[in-house]
Amino acid sequence: MIIKTGFIEALPLAIAIAAYGLSYGVMADQASFSLVTAVAMSVLVFSGSVQMVAVAMVAAGAGMASVLVTAVLLNLRNLLYGAALAEGITPAGKWRWLLAMGVSDEPFVLGSARFKKYGPDPLYFAAVVGTFYIAWILAALLGSLIGNQVDPQKWGLDLAFPVTFAALLIPSLTDKPVIATALAAITIAIGLEYFLPGNEFTIIITGVVAPLVGLYLSRRALRC
Amino acid sequence: MLDQWILIGVLAAATYMSRIIGVELMAGRELSPTLRLYFNYVPVAIISALIVKQILVPADEQLFISIPVLIGCIAAAITIKISKSFLPSLVIGIIIGLLIRYFLI
């Protein structure tokens, strides 16, 4: 039952992830990755941002050290996701080492929403991550096979990410500290993007700093 | 070919490390009330940042606002506020975003 819920809630995002997986497969093909290495990267790395950037950098002739440094920067936010998700997936015992493969943007968004409502739920997290994992790998395989231009924008699949995030955000805006956190986050993120367009730090900096606003307001409310 | 496998191995190790470190640091640990409250606000901050990142598109060192994404998000936000149901909100958000993309811009 929980697995079914996880699957259904993950499905819209899984379709969007598959669309990106398809573009990744095509890009990997163009960056002269073979079918096997392109798919192996999806199986072993399982990170949209890291893989896209890695194949784009390889195609542009970048060395391994610079790809690795970029990947470490892109991965910084996983530290925060992992810490925030730990309580929700720890009941899985040693299986958490496997579930940790799913610590990234989309599973974090769905997982933290679920844990907040129902408490720790590793099975739900596993269902969500499993759905994304299968979609990501099959799409990379297909993209690498067809190897020509695929445009997710044309089908509106790129819209699925922000629209899903918006639909998850709005119901959680229930009290003043949460609303203040969201407003602070939007302000900080716009500021960072304005000064450094497309940089890799926006999400981690916003994720660390903006919650302090909510924390401050809720503690002040407790004191009054 | 060997280089590609080494690159994949290095990226896989670096990415997995970033995922497990946070989990292991906090696993089985009793959170202090302050830290619990702090983590309570992290998802909202991250989701807001992710939305901003999708609406503001960088190109040639400049920022552009993606109107279809912005309107699609607003449409989904209004729909979920009124209907309280998740999937219809997604569908309406995406359809309105697509309509804006093809007919207004």
Side-chain angles (χ1 to χ4, degrees), chain A residues 57-76:
Chain A
M57 286 180 80
V58 168
M64 195 176 299
S66 54
V67 178
L68 179 62
V69 170
T70 310
V72 169
L73 291 180
L74 284 173
N75 282 332
L76 277 179

Side-chain angles (χ1 to χ4, degrees), chain A residues 133-182:
Chain A
Y133 195 58
I134 292 166
W136 182 241
I137 291 167
L138 290 181
L141 179 70
L142 189 64
S144 189
L145 277 175
I146 55 177
N148 50 33
Q149 208 50 54
V150 181
D151 187 6
Q153 279 211 352
K154 198 176 161 193
W155 303 94
L157 291 168
D158 60 312
L159 289 162
F161 292 102
V163 164
T164 304
F165 296 149
L168 283 164
L169 177 67
I170 297 301
S172 65
L173 302 177
T174 45
D175 58 14
K176 267 187 195 159
V178 181
I179 296 169
T181 304

